[in-house]
Amino acid sequence: MSTSRKPSLFESMACGGAAAAFAVNFTHPIELVKTRMQASGGSIGATMGGVMKEGGVPAFWKGLPFGWGRELSYTSVKLGAYAPVRNAIGAGDKDAPFYLKFLAGAITGGTGSIIGNPFDVMKTLAQTNTTGEPLGGLVTKLYADQGIAGFYRGVQVNIIRACILNATKMGVYDATKGYVTDYTGWSRKDVKTSFISAFVAGFFMTVTVAPSDMIRTKLMNQPTDVKLYDGFVDCAKENCCRGRCAESMEGIHPYL
């Protein structure tokens, strides 16, 4: 009699990263528009129109190679390592405390964000670049101006964002599955259970992560040769006062 074998940590990470790298081909245009709106404060219509003027429909996939790198690094850890870490800290049972599921998500999300931060920085710069500068030129300029440290700017808030995102997404998803199965009698592996749980988790994840996601974009999108913010706290304060922030950026930031 054959028994099902649970995937190892590395197998789980490989599957999670590969799935995310495939999915990003479809979500990248939405991510690009969101990032540009966060960086410039423009409307969705104006932002999409600007992208179309730059290069037509293909322009919505600008920076996609960096998107692949991000998913294969950050997402492979935050998604693929969640179940093994969750089980390791005793949160694998459906009745396990909710905070343990959040902790498992925070651990894998925070760890993944450190590994994937360079790709996040390069992806952000590529998506907001309206000058037509080649992607290789952006990377070379960032390294020349700031060295390796440039690829880790915004890493503090990226860790915070990832912890919030993954803790909310994986924790709510896991907990919602329990509620759905108890209420409907469906199995945890039923497609309907997964769909409803993913929808609920996605909603709460989007709401909780929005502020830190905005700050992350602002920090990563700074010019390579000009420092606009002294860390994420300063960035958060500056962006609470849009007028003063916009005035400080005027004539300095090449991508706004």
Side-chain angles (χ1 to χ4, degrees):
M1 181 183 294
S2 61
T3 57
S4 60
R5 182 182 68 87
K6 291 185 178 181
S8 67
L9 173 62
F10 293 106
E11 288 172 338
S12 182
M13 288 172 59
C15 290
F22 175 75
V24 80
N25 291 290
F26 304 97
T27 60
H28 192 81
I30 301 172
E31 174 76 13
L32 183 142
V33 173
K34 182 208 69 173
T35 300
R36 287 206 178 186
M37 290 177 67
Q38 289 176 331
S40 66
S43 66
I44 185 171
T47 301
M48 293 181 68
V51 176
M52 285 294 292
K53 287 181 181 179
E54 286 175 33
V57 173
F60 286 94
W61 278 268
K62 184 181 292 186
L64 180 59
F66 296 136
W68 291 333
R70 177 185 186 270
E71 303 307 330
L72 291 173
S73 55
Y74 163 62
T75 306
S76 66
V77 175
K78 78 159 187 175
L79 184 62
Y82 171 74
V85 170
R86 177 199 63 193
N87 295 338
I89 64 174
D93 189 81
K94 68 174 185 177
D95 297 320
F98 194 58
Y99 69 86
L100 284 181
K101 299 180 187 295
F102 265 69
L103 177 61
I107 291 172
T108 55
T111 302
S113 69
I114 297 174
I115 298 172
N117 202 82
F119 291 108
D120 257 330
V121 171
M122 293 183 290
K123 179 173 71 73
T124 299
L125 289 176
Q127 288 180 328
T128 57
N129 176 28
T130 60
T131 64
E133 184 176 355
L135 301 186
L138 290 173
V139 176
T140 302
K141 191 171 186 297
L142 178 62
Y143 181 76
D145 290 340
Q146 299 184 19
I148 294 296
F151 296 96
Y152 283 90
R153 58 182 180 177
V155 67
Q156 298 94 338
V157 74
N158 204 21
I159 294 173
I160 294 172
R161 173 191 176 276
C163 287
I164 295 172
L165 183 151
N166 215 42
T168 304
K169 179 173 70 175
M170 303 308 289
V172 172
Y173 177 77
D174 219 359
T176 302
K177 266 193 169 184
Y179 289 124
V180 172
T181 55
D182 289 342
Y183 183 77
T184 63
W186 301 336
S187 72
R188 290 179 67 87
K189 294 183 178 181
D190 194 301
V191 174
K192 299 188 292 296
T193 303
S194 298
F195 179 82
I196 293 174
S197 301
F199 184 87
V200 174
F203 172 80
F204 282 102
M205 177 196 73
T206 303
V207 172
T208 57
V209 84
S212 56
D213 193 58
M214 168 72 80
I215 297 171
R216 181 193 68 155
T217 297
K218 293 287 187 181
L219 287 171
M220 291 184 174
N221 194 46
Q222 295 177 92
T224 61
D225 56 350
V226 178
K227 187 177 182 180
L228 299 179
Y229 307 109
D230 292 321
F232 69 91
V233 175
D234 180 56
C235 181
K237 292 195 302 185
E238 283 287 330
N239 284 281
C240 284
C241 306
R242 296 280 312 167
R244 184 159 63 94
C245 184
E247 182 179 349
S248 69
M249 293 182 186
E250 187 175 357
I252 295 179
H253 202 310
Y255 305 138
L256 294 183

